[in-house]
Every structure is written in C-alpha cells, then in structure tokens.
Amino acid sequence: MEKYIINGGNKLYGSIEIQSAKNSVLPILAATVLTDDKVKILNAPNITDVKNMAKILSKLGCDVMYENGNIIVDSSRADCYEIPRQLAHELRSSVFLLGSVISRFHTAKIAYPGGCDIGLRPVDLHLAGLKRLGVEIDEEKGYIICKCEKLKGNEIMLDCPSVGATENLMLAAVKAEGATVIKNAAREPEIEDLQRLLNCMGAKVRGAGSGTIVIEGVRELHGCEFLPIPDRIEAGTFLIAAAMCGGEVELNRVCAENISSLLHKLRENGCKIYLNNDKIILENHKRPTSVKSIETQPYPGFPTDLQAQITALCCICRGQSIITENLFETRFKYVPELRKMGADVTVINRNAFVRGVERFNGATVIAHDLRGGAALVSAALAAEGRSEVLNISHIDRGYGSFEYKLRSLGGDIVRISI
C-alpha cells in the first residue's frame, strides 16, 4: 500500500499536458475486440483502469502491447468469451466488453462489475438494450451470461441517458444485422469519441452527441490508429486545485467546450480564465468567492466526476454554497474526511450545505473513491500544515503521474510505501 504526504500552502505555477480521457479509452479498448486487425491507441493514460482493461483483453486472448505511451491491441487470436471475476470486480468499465464480446462470439459471460463505491450503478439498462438486439440473458451465481444466434438491429429507448449503456449498445450494434436506433442516448463527449473510433474502423454510426444515435450494421471492421480526446475530468481537477491553492496554471491539450460548465463556475468564484486553442490558463491570487448553487447533471450539465473537487473548493470560499448530487446517491463519502481538515459541511440526502472557512488544516485522511481522493489531495495542497492521504490506489485508477504533475507546478507532494 502507498500514501501521499503533502505539505500544503504552496501556490501552483507552470504548465502541464492533459492525458487522453480515461472514459474514452476504456470503451475504445473494448471496441478492439470487434476486429481481427490491430488497433493503435495513441497517448493512452498510464492509469490502473486502463491496465486492468488491458489485462482483461489479454485473458480473452488478445495481444496487448505498450509502445512509447501508446497501446496496440491485436485481437486476431481472441478465443475466450468469459471476463474474469477478479478483474471485473476491480473495473466497472469491464461491462463495456459485454457488447463487443457478444458481437464477436455470440456469447459472453461476465461477473457483475465493480469500480468505485459511489452508489448503485445497475446494469439493467445495458441488459434491456441487449435483449432488444436479440440477446438472451441469464444470471447465475454472480455472473451475467449472454447468448444469441444473431444480433439484429432494433429501436432502443433508454429509461435514462446512461453513458455506459449508450456506449455498450453502440459496441453491440455496429455489426448487427440492420439498423439500430438508440433514443434518449447520453450526449457526453466520450460518446462522440467512441463514434469517431468506430467509424475509423469502418462502422456506420451517426448522431453521437445528440439524444438519438443511429447505427447501420456492417459485416466487419478493420484496424486503425486513433488519438482519443483529452480528459476533461483531469483538466477540471487541476483547474480546481489551482483555484484552491492560488497561482497561475496552464493546461495544454484540453478542450474548453467540454468543461464549459466548470469554467462558468470558476469565473463565478473570481478566477481569471484565458482560452487559446487547446490551452486553458487559470489565474487566481485571492480567496475565491462562493458559488451559491451547483447541481450535477448529465452532459452538458455540471459533471458528477467533478462534484467532490468543486465541493472542496467551496469549503474555503467566502460565503455559503449548496451542492446537489443528482446522479449517484452515495457520492459524499469524502465529506467526513474534509471535516477532519476543518471544513464546515452538512450532508442531507443528496445535498451538501457548505459554509466556507478561511483555510483547511493538515490532517490524515482516507480516499474512498477516485474523485473524492483527488478532492482530498487538492484540499491538502491548499491546507496549512502537513497531510497524509491514504488509500491512493483509488486515485491511481484515473490520474496518471498525478504527483509528478503536481510537483511540476510547485506542489509539495510525495508518494511513499506503507
């Protein structure tokens, strides 16, 4: 096990490059099963979620190679349709493989997926959609077993715009017979990125980014070389850290449009933000002002994956804020840890009522999930005194070279084994 030791109080200055989006790369890796040709993913993030997905692909019989920060997947020898229980429990996104594996083998077996403990994230929408494509589904002893003679296109209406279900059904439908129409589809940029990848492989997909996606099935897909979009959540995390600590930080390779809801809130906080092509510069030299209300929503609303970080920022703002979590019911597990650092936060149901304090104080805190862990690191960097952040394996799931990037900006943070 490892932990971070952080001496807070340093302002952040400098520039960093944003990694490719975790939430794009994972379904893209799942899509490599759909072809016998090689797929090369450029600038793949060095994070444990990607490594675990690569391990699953290897268990399916794919050859996975790492080359200068890129990942090359050759699925020509894939011969297994079962996704191992241990790896499925470690990686929520293993569920994406249902669609691509059933497309390739017409059968798939997967244990119920894991990931962060942030509340119920049922796979019912995935399974209901697959049934519409002709898949028969059984559940036994913690496994989901899918079988079909042939995937057939159909119209699918999602009960809610689930990102995972939308992407999984896209992967299942690209080689189905006929056309598939997904209605009430999620609109996140990562879904548009998956459409770009699939079309690069020879698929016929249109409409991603809107509420209706149309997929015309094709007989086969081919390999390609692909650069995923930059990670909007990593970008947002560093912008919020800079707002909390003060200073001036430049992010390179970032899409401002994809985090416009965050940029709007940071300007309300009093931060100065400058945009230049794929660069964002944030400047802040004073205590931020509170934002009265923030509600997480599906894209293009405020992202749930930045809720913990923006709440930590609100804790040291002038004034009071209410943060409402509309997507996951237990995503405030980090709040007791912030209280150890002096935060004044009360959680009632899905609302966090925040009364700003002048500063955080150093403390020993525990990361319970990926984004909550990132929020605690930012709070420790802004705190007065020394902090320890435990359970940082959660943070490693989504942030590559996290402490190195923070140190390059002037943060006093080291990783040690315990």
Side-chain angles (χ1 to χ4, degrees), residues 342-362:
D344 186 352
V345 187
T346 301
V347 176
I348 301 176
N349 297 323
R350 290 177 179 260
N351 299 298
F353 299 88
V354 181
R355 290 159 290 277
V357 298
E358 189 170 343
R359 67 176 64 87
F360 287 118
N361 300 308

Side-chain angles (χ1 to χ4, degrees), residues 139-165:
E139 300 176 49
E140 60 178 44
K141 298 180 180 179
Y143 277 92
I144 302 167
I145 301 170
C146 302
K147 294 181 180 179
C148 70
E149 290 186 9
K150 181 188 294 184
L151 287 165
K152 294 185 178 181
N154 206 339
E155 182 175 296
I156 301 169
M157 172 66 77
L158 295 177
D159 289 341
C160 68
S162 160
V163 174

